[in-house]
Every structure is written in C-alpha cells, then in structure tokens.
Amino acid sequence: MELCTASISTSAHRSHLSTFNRPLPYHQYASSRSWVSKRRRQSSLYVMNAASTRVLPSSRGIGQPAQTKGAAVRNQKNSALEQLDIERGVCIPFRKYSPEMVRNKVLGSSGSVLSLASRGVEIIWKLGFYWSSLVYDYLVGRDEEIVPFRARQLRNLLCDLGPSFIKAGQVLANRPDIIREDYMSELCILQDDVPPFANQVAFSIIEEELGQPLEQLFSKISSETIAAASLGQVYRATLRETGEDVAIKVQRPGIEPIIYRDLFLFRTLASFLNGISLQKLGCNAELIVDEFGEKLLEELDYTLEARNIEDFIVNFKNDPTVKIPLVYTKFSGSRVLVMEWIDGIRCTDPQAIKAAGIDVEGFLTVGVSAALRQLLEFGLFHGDPHPGNVFAMRDGRIAYVDFGNVAVLSQQNKEILIDAVVHAVNEDYAEMANDFTRLGFLASGTDVSPIIPALESIWQNSAGKGLADFNFRSVTGKFNQLVYNYPIRIPERFSLVIRSLLTQEGICFTLEPDFKFLEVAYPYIANRLLTDPNPALRERLIQVLFKDGLFQWKRLENLIVLAKENVNKMSTNPALISNSLQTVASQKMEKKLDLTDTIKDGARLFLIDSAIRRQLIMAFTEDSKLHVEELADVYRLVEDQIDIPSVALEVLQDLPSVARDFMLSWSDSVLSDRQN
C-alpha cells in the first residue's frame, strides 16, 4: 500500500525549502530568474510541439514520419531530459535528477564497483530466471494459459528486489504501452507495505534532521508506526509547543544510495534496449527510465512534498469543500515531514462513512469536481489518490494526504486536453489522433490514419451507451489494447492522469455502485467552457457550438443546462452547507451561472472578429429563416441566471476598450488589404 499520511503545517515560512526543481516556461527562463518566487505551477507555459524531438517509430502498423536524415540525427543528439522538457512545455533549470548526476554519485562512492557488481548479478540472475521461464512457456505452447501465475510471480519478484523495483512495478501498472493488460491488472495490487524499521532509528533521524531532542519537539509520539512503506514510515505525535496532533513522515535509513545505485543500473540496461523501445514505442528506453528516475528522486526529498502541499493549499484556498492538511515547515526537512493530522474516515471504509451520516453522493460530487479542477484548472494534480490517501471529513469535505507523487500539466497540455474533449464531442477523430501527437503519445509527423478508425470505434462504443453505462475503466481497457498494438508511448504525467481518474472512479463505485462519474464531470466541463475567462477556452466553446459550419442550437442549450446543474450541485452540497467555517471563501461559491464575462467576450468578438461575426449572422439566418424561436429558448434558460441591467452596464463600461480594439482590427485589415 502506498504510504498514507495525514499532512502538515501552520507555518508559512519556507526559507530552508528547496526552490530548485520548479518547472519554468522556456520563454521566461531565457530572460529572467524571478521564477523562484512564482509558487503557482498552474501559470501559463510556453506552447511547444508536444513531441518535436521524438525519435522515429518503425513498425506495428503506423507509417513513418516524414523527416529527413539530418533532422533525425539532430533529434537523436537531444538528451532524453531535453525531450521531456520540450514535451511538457517547461524548463527545469535545477533538477533533482540527471543521468550524469546519478552516475557521478554512484561511481564516486567507496566500494561502488563491488556494490554495483553484486547488485547487477542479483538483478540479472532473478530477472534472467524469470525471463527464461517465459521463454520456456512459449516454447511448450502454454504461454497464454499460465499468464495469471506468471503475473503473480512478477509481482512477488519485484517486491523481493526492493523499493526501486516496487516503484517501477507501480509505474508499469499504468503503462499499457510497455506491458500487457493482464500483467498490469496484477501489478495494480502491488503492495508497498514493508516491515517498519526500528523506532530508535526513526527517532534518531528526526533528531538529526531537526537538530533538537525528540522530547523538546513532541509531548508524545506513537510507539507503533501508523503506516510503513518502501521509502518511509509514519508516526502520530503531539507538538509540545501547541498541543496539536501531527503526522511525522520519516524516510527509511540508507534508502538514497540504494535508489541511486538501482537507477544507474536501470539506465545502463535501458541503453541496450533502445532498439526494441524505438520499434515498439517510438522513443529511447533511456527516456522512460529518466521519467521514472525524476519522479522517484522527487519523492525522496520531503522538502518538495512540503512545497507540493503548500501549492495545493493555495489552489484550494477558496474552496470550502476540500481539505488540504497544513505543513509545519520549521519541523520538517529533506528526510522528515511534519504534517497536520487528518481526523477523517478513509475511503477504504465505506460502512464507516455511511455510519457517520455523511451524504455519500454529495461527497463524491465534491471529489470529482476537486479532481477535475486539479487536472484542467490548476494543472497540478495528486498522482496517487488511492482510497488510503483520500479521507471523508465528518462535515462532508474531501481531504487528501501524501503529496510525494504529484504531476504538473502545462497550460499547453491542459488546452490540448480540452481540445480532445471538443473533438470527441464533434466526433472529429482525425483531430483526436492529432491531439495524441501534440501531447507526446506519438512522434511528430507520424501517419495517424491507422489510429483513426480505432479511436472512432472506442469512443462510439463507449459514448453510445450513454452516461448510465459509461465508465473510464471500460474505455481504458480498449485504449490499452490500442496502445499495445501501435507505437504509442504514454508520457509519465498522463499515465498518472489515467491512474488518478481510474482510482477516483473506483472510489466512487466502492462508495456508491450506481454513481455516474460523467454526470458530474460533464456539467463541470460545460460550466468551464461557458464561464472560464481564458481566451483559449472561448475558442473551444466556438468550436463546440459550430459543426460542419452550422450552429448547434441544441448543443448550446445542453451546455447551459449542464452548467446550471453543476452550479446547483456545488452550491447546495452538504459539505458547503454544513461547514461551520462559513468564511469569506465559502461565500464565493457561485449560486448562479455567471455568464457576464462570456456575454462581454461574445459582444467583443462579434464586433472585432469578422469571421466570428459572419458565423453568428449565418447561425441566426440558417435555412433562409430567422432562428428567433431557438434564441428565445436559450434566453429562457438563462434569464433567471442573469441580472440584465448589471450585464448591460458592464458591457457599456467595456465599450471604449472594445471600440479601440475594433479600430485596431479595422486598421490592420486595411493595411493588410493594401499590402496584398
């Protein structure tokens, strides 16, 4: 089981926390070093091609990218980490991981040659014996019938090989591009539970890290661990100076050199597998190891986890339905993390949640909305929200713990995900396939035509069942087959997205078997499309409302209905109503669908953008008739949501800037016509 902690902090001081691993937009890094103070990772990132330096795939049914030999050579000169930065649209000036740093750290330690040799022999012997078993199964013709046994054998083997392999197995459990689905199912239950190390060792680490005797910091501490995992273990304690209950996360002693040694061996092995990886995935095996190593070393540094928690607190500061534990930074370091104790009910215990009188449907609605906000609004999301890391508070709020594994999506990635949703709604499967390339699933320039029919089949079979029967697990199962049959690589951050959605859907089904995930997700997305001030989302809204050049009146009505439903569900949620902390933040929860900015932007676009103006005029006059009745239907849907005088006043106040933009647009068009 993943390390389950309840988290941390009343102190806002961050003076001793590392600031060197923050993602930085490329265009900012070149001109400024002010990135250190920019705490919010959801800021706009430089838009780049998602896979502009990917290496060419060669088989499994997809055509070769049309690149020159010189371009291919230049691509191969790029390091794997540079490729990852370009895919993500960010630059990390100072990173926890690099192949050179790992190599220097391992080879520079005393006795490194002997340690590497003995560990290498152990790994080769155990994995080689397992591989020879698979070969034997194939030769005698029983390779399919014995798969369940071999999958269990692999899971046990990874546990025996230690923490690095346990973590690797958990990653493989979400990588259908690398491993078969039946093996993935077995690795999904890979347990991270290991025997705890001695209390005295843990207490010595706390004292060494914090520089004070244990009894001066805590008035009491549990004699037994609350949870023990491959990288660390957790105790419950009480702060002496405040009397607050906290969770103390302590790193396992001697774990860092073990991780570095295994990463060095992983990458050495990967260099021999590049040919296979290029053929199967369209990228070097070293790139996959670098993705894994980067995340693993981030988990080892508890100062980064503390910063993750603080970022989540900032993101959800105005959301009274979500609880993020505080972090006590002055009692924390790179190997010790002291966090606020969460007194909630784990989602592994649905009976206790119901017995506590918590509105299950309201709680799940809060959870789905919080997950979607992390993914599409903040671009910073919890990478491991399994039931042990998610708590139900007794007032209906949702609480998250264990922020060692988080993932970041750039603004570019978020917009492409919205594009993919729009293209799915419009049944534009060719553009959906291109979205895969832009997100880094496929090499730039790859012929996507063989994938288009498969995507169409997957989406129509799933969406055709309606919201009642739609679930991510069935779609993911079909998608896994597609990924395994084509040279598609799932970038690490998106494997976390998939795992996060599947896990949270699983929690929903555990607590409420009839819960409809998309009945909450669709209204949220509709609300975002209609009300988000981001100009990029305004463009996506236009794409949704027009199909084959025709305005989709019914689709607009459905969006408004769904968005109103989202606002109503959240504003009447028991977690909001029963929350005793009715602060200013809670007052900000919308009671109505606020379309003011959408109407203002629509008016601006109508006046400035001739193409949009032409489309809208045609929408009102399609089929040689005025669509007054459709317009009246739309107005009836929003009349109780809009304060017409206030909106009209805001539009009038915005007229000077609209007039200025109109004149600039008109002058640009005149100059352009004269140049032509």
Side-chain angles (χ1 to χ4, degrees):
M1 182 181 297
E2 278 298 313
L3 191 62
C4 307
T5 71
S7 286
I8 11 190
S9 151
T10 55
S11 173
H13 303 298
R14 304 165 62 103
S15 58
H16 68 285
L17 295 182
S18 168
T19 57
F20 291 154
N21 201 40
R22 275 296 193 239
L24 176 69
Y26 272 104
H27 66 293
Q28 292 179 2
Y29 181 49
S31 60
S32 173
R33 295 295 297 276
S34 63
W35 60 273
V36 174
S37 63
K38 296 183 179 180
R39 300 179 60 231
R40 298 293 295 277
R41 278 186 283 193
Q42 60 271 29
S43 58
S44 296
L45 300 177
Y46 186 67
V47 177
M48 305 184 71
N49 190 325
S52 59
T53 61
R54 290 280 301 284
V55 188
L56 308 181
S58 60
S59 67
R60 286 167 74 182
I62 293 187
Q64 300 293 332
Q67 287 187 315
T68 66
K69 181 178 179 180
V73 171
R74 287 194 299 273
N75 286 347
Q76 290 173 355
K77 288 182 179 179
N78 287 322
S79 73
L81 289 176
E82 288 172 337
Q83 294 186 44
L84 291 176
D85 286 348
I86 291 172
E87 276 187 10
R88 297 164 179 165
V90 299
C91 177
I92 302 176
F94 304 95
R95 56 174 81 246
K96 297 292 296 181
Y97 170 90
S98 73
E100 295 77 16
M101 181 266 290
V102 170
R103 182 175 61 251
N104 294 338
K105 194 151 189 170
V106 171
L107 298 181
S109 61
S110 59
S112 60
V113 175
L114 181 60
S115 174
L116 284 171
S118 60
R119 179 61 167 170
V121 168
E122 179 190 10
I123 292 172
I124 292 172
W125 173 257
K126 291 184 176 180
L127 291 181
F129 183 79
Y130 178 78
W131 181 80
S132 64
S133 300
L134 296 179
V135 173
Y136 175 78
D137 293 338
Y138 176 77
L139 292 176
V140 300
R142 64 173 190 176
D143 50 313
E144 291 298 328
E145 63 188 63
I146 204 171
V147 161
F149 171 76
R150 293 302 183 202
R152 287 193 301 272
Q153 193 178 34
L154 176 61
R155 175 169 57 86
N156 293 331
L157 174 60
L158 295 176
C159 289
D160 291 341
L161 285 171
S164 303
F165 284 83
I166 291 173
K167 292 295 182 184
Q170 291 170 344
V171 170
L172 288 175
N174 302 284
R175 296 298 299 265
D177 52 335
I178 299 176
I179 194 168
R180 284 173 44 151
E181 187 175 6
D182 36 20
Y183 280 83
M184 286 174 54
S185 300
E186 184 66 29
L187 293 181
C188 280
I189 61 174
L190 184 67
Q191 295 297 300
D192 201 16
D193 288 323
V194 296
F197 56 93
N199 287 345
Q200 285 308 117
V201 176
F203 297 160
S204 296
I205 292 174
I206 296 173
E207 292 179 340
E208 180 183 339
E209 192 73 17
L210 303 184
Q212 296 183 59
L214 200 66
E215 57 272 13
Q216 289 186 13
L217 299 171
F218 308 101
S219 57
K220 60 181 179 180
I221 188 169
S222 59
S223 58
E224 300 291 335
T225 57
I226 304 302
S230 58
L231 299 185
Q233 59 194 38
V234 178
Y235 295 88
R236 183 172 183 173
T238 303
L239 288 176
R240 181 170 292 280
E241 67 177 34
T242 64
E244 295 169 288
D245 284 341
V246 294
I248 309 174
K249 186 175 179 180
V250 188
Q251 190 173 110
R252 190 169 289 274
I255 191 70
E256 187 174 279
I258 295 173
I259 297 295
Y260 276 100
R261 181 193 63 193
D262 286 350
L263 286 176
F264 177 80
L265 292 171
F266 284 167
R267 207 171 194 278
T268 302
L269 176 62
S271 65
F272 294 101
L273 300 176
N274 280 335
I276 298 174
S277 180
L278 285 171
Q279 181 181 21
K280 302 281 281 184
L281 304 175
C283 69
N284 285 325
E286 291 165 327
L287 181 142
I288 296 171
V289 173
D290 287 342
E291 281 186 309
F292 170 68
E294 194 173 38
K295 294 301 296 182
L296 186 54
L297 291 188
E298 286 178 7
E299 284 194 62
L300 278 181
D301 188 348
Y302 289 174
T303 61
L304 292 180
E305 182 171 349
R307 295 175 63 228
N308 291 337
I309 295 170
E310 292 191 329
D311 284 337
F312 271 81
I313 290 173
V314 171
N315 288 344
F316 285 105
K317 65 181 179 181
N318 291 330
D319 191 339
T321 66
V322 178
K323 170 63 179 175
I324 306 297
L326 301 171
V327 57
Y328 297 85
T329 53
K330 73 174 182 177
F331 298 124
S332 301
S334 61
R335 295 185 297 159
V336 174
L337 189 59
V338 179
M339 306 163 281
E340 176 186 359
W341 182 262
I342 293 296
D343 187 18
I345 305 170
R346 283 184 178 174
C347 289
T348 51
D349 193 352
Q351 287 75 24
I353 291 177
K354 294 173 183 177
I358 297 172
D359 184 286
V360 174
E361 186 171 350
F363 170 73
L364 294 179
T365 298
V366 165
V368 173
S369 296
L372 292 172
R373 291 192 71 195
Q374 292 173 48
L375 180 62
L376 298 176
E377 185 175 340
F378 307 136
L380 175 68
F381 63 94
H382 197 299
D384 192 20
H386 66 71
N389 284 342
V390 180
F391 288 78
M393 307 297 284
R394 286 171 173 77
D395 57 7
R397 290 178 296 167
I398 188 171
Y400 294 94
V401 300
D402 197 353
F403 294 85
N405 189 2
V406 304
V408 180
L409 291 183
S410 67
Q411 183 65 28
Q412 170 199 5
N413 284 170
K414 290 187 292 180
E415 290 177 4
I416 297 173
L417 284 177
I418 294 290
D419 279 341
V421 173
V422 171
H423 295 145
V425 170
N426 286 339
E427 298 181 346
D428 190 344
Y429 302 107
E431 283 303 317
M432 279 183 70
N434 289 329
D435 293 335
F436 275 76
T437 302
R438 296 165 65 202
L439 290 171
F441 287 74
L442 289 165
S444 180
T446 299
D447 177 15
V448 298
S449 56
I451 296 180
I452 295 173
L455 285 175
E456 182 176 0
S457 175
I458 290 173
W459 182 254
Q460 288 189 346
N461 288 341
S462 301
K465 298 176 181 177
L467 294 182
D469 299 314
F470 184 97
N471 67 79
F472 282 111
R473 189 160 299 279
S474 65
V475 174
T476 303
K478 295 167 185 168
F479 178 70
N480 290 348
Q481 297 172 15
L482 171 68
V483 167
Y484 194 75
N485 291 328
Y486 294 101
I488 298 174
R489 162 187 158 254
I490 299 182
E492 177 268 344
R493 62 197 181 282
F494 290 114
S495 72
L496 290 179
V497 170
I498 294 170
R499 178 168 76 171
S500 178
L501 290 174
L502 287 176
T503 302
Q504 294 187 74
E505 184 185 59
I507 292 174
C508 292
F509 290 156
T510 299
L511 297 179
E512 184 61 63
D514 295 328
F515 185 79
K516 306 299 184 293
F517 193 92
L518 283 191
E519 287 185 357
V520 177
Y522 268 5
Y524 169 83
I525 294 173
N527 192 14
R528 284 292 309 280
L529 282 172
L530 285 172
T531 63
D532 196 290
N534 187 341
L537 283 184
R538 289 284 189 266
E539 294 176 12
R540 272 70 179 182
L541 176 61
I542 295 296
Q543 292 177 37
V544 169
L545 294 179
F546 284 90
K547 183 180 180 182
D548 299 327
L550 299 178
F551 191 82
Q552 305 297 302
W553 290 98
K554 192 64 179 177
R555 187 172 289 175
L556 175 60
E557 293 178 21
N558 290 339
L559 280 174
I560 294 172
V561 170
L562 288 170
K564 288 171 65 176
E565 180 184 334
N566 175 259
V567 171
N568 181 63
K569 278 187 175 181
M570 293 307 298
S571 64
T572 60
N573 194 284
L576 179 64
I577 296 173
S578 65
N579 189 353
S580 59
L581 303 176
Q582 290 293 328
T583 60
V584 175
S586 66
Q587 303 301 326
K588 293 182 180 180
M589 296 295 290
E590 297 292 343
K591 308 297 184 190
K592 290 185 177 182
L593 182 64
D594 187 2
L595 294 173
T596 303
D597 288 337
T598 307
I599 293 172
K600 287 169 57 179
D601 287 352
R604 177 186 292 271
L605 282 174
F606 184 83
L607 292 173
I608 295 173
D609 193 315
S610 59
I612 293 294
R613 183 166 60 250
R614 190 179 304 110
Q615 281 184 302
L616 290 176
I617 291 174
M618 290 179 64
F620 292 123
T621 58
E622 283 172 358
D623 301 326
S624 302
K625 68 173 184 178
L626 291 175
H627 290 263
V628 177
E629 185 177 343
E630 289 86 346
L631 189 60
D633 290 340
V634 170
Y635 176 76
R636 279 192 288 270
L637 285 173
V638 300
E639 63 178 335
D640 62 333
Q641 307 288 311
I642 299 176
D643 183 355
I644 298 297
S646 298
V647 173
L649 179 62
E650 292 204 29
V651 171
L652 287 174
Q653 290 173 341
D654 202 38
L655 274 180
S657 64
V658 172
R660 180 196 62 200
D661 291 343
F662 175 77
M663 293 301 296
L664 288 172
S665 175
W666 175 78
S667 61
D668 285 344
S669 64
V670 170
L671 291 173
S672 177
D673 289 341
R674 288 186 175 181
Q675 289 175 356
N676 293 334

